[in-house]
Amino acid sequence: EGRFSPVRCLAPRCTVEVARDHAADMSACIGSAGGGPCALLCDPGYRMSRMNKPLLSTRGKPAPALVCNEVGRFEGPHCDEARCASTPAALSLVAADDIAGCVGMEDGQACDFQCSSGLRRVGTLTCRRGEWQTGDVACVPSRCEEAPEIAHAADLAHCAGVDSGGSCPLPCKGKRMPSADLFCSNGRWLEATCDLYCPEVVVPGSEELPDCTGLLPGDFCTLTCRPGLQKSGDLLCLEGEWNVASCTDRGVPLSGGVTETVQIDGLQVRDGMERWWLGGLLQGVFASLLRLDPDTVAVLVDEPASA
């Protein structure tokens, strides 16, 4: 009819398999028409790379992945190592909140996070192909990095850096004794003190006193005398020393006499009177009030009897 039939020039089809490292099977894309798209499927641990300028399909819309170009070859993104898109589940319960900042790190990057209070990190957390490498990473109890400060203790520099669960001897100054060894727990030292314990005591005429060993200032210990003997009072621990106490014969006066006359609440101490042993804490109190030597204190009562 004197007219040419419609005809147009088409881009060649892509007949060569997609050449992309770390891509899955792309054989289905072979034979794609020129300008046609082909979805890029990457191997596990890899992701499709981003392009600064997206390719356009034959309809002028952004292509989902690869596009068969005018020379019959696919062009477009590649498969790169995947990012770590989440926090490592194995550390979620022991890590501090800053681990959230590690989300989205590139392959090969290390996450510098902190552990929860009382814990410290060991190992390096690295992103590898979208997965966190946690094999050598853990939050373990913190060390006691610094030496403790304890009153009346000697140099404690040797205690710095002790692991949690470890102990350190507590040396004390003078006659003071440690209440316990120092123990490190989750980066903190448990309480221990240097105290003036009263030493083992022996009172002539008394029974054995096993309960009087290792008592602290202000502690009392019951003095039990042997049959026929009377105690002057119980033992009191005062700044690492025991007060004076004794076991004596009942009603037997001690030799010697007092040298002063005083009056306290109706009790009179007169020169020349036989004195009686007060003993223990009571003796020390009277001696302090009278400003006398404890061995010279005596009390006048209706009938002679030991205090």
Side-chain angles (χ1 to χ4, degrees), residues 21 34 46 53 72 89 105-106 128 132-134 139 152 185 255:
D21 292 335
Y46 293 84
K53 184 178 181 181
M105 283 193 166
E106 300 282 356
R128 183 60 178 165
W132 291 109
Q133 305 302 301
T134 59
C139 287
H152 309 295
S185 177
S255 60

Side-chain angles (χ1 to χ4, degrees), residues 133-148:
Q133 305 302 301
T134 59
D136 63 341
V137 184
C139 287
V140 300
S142 298
R143 294 189 183 102
C144 289
E145 299 292 350
E146 298 182 358

Side-chain angles (χ1 to χ4, degrees), residues 76-122:
H78 298 266
C79 288
D80 295 333
E81 289 84 355
R83 296 181 180 182
C84 288
S86 62
T87 57
L91 299 172
S92 60
L93 297 179
V94 293
D97 293 340
D98 64 344
I99 198 171
C102 299
V103 175
M105 283 193 166
E106 300 282 356
D107 180 75
Q109 284 188 305
C111 173
D112 185 17
F113 71 95
Q114 301 297 319
C115 293
S116 301
S117 177
L119 303 174
R120 63 183 178 90
R121 188 187 73 210
V122 294

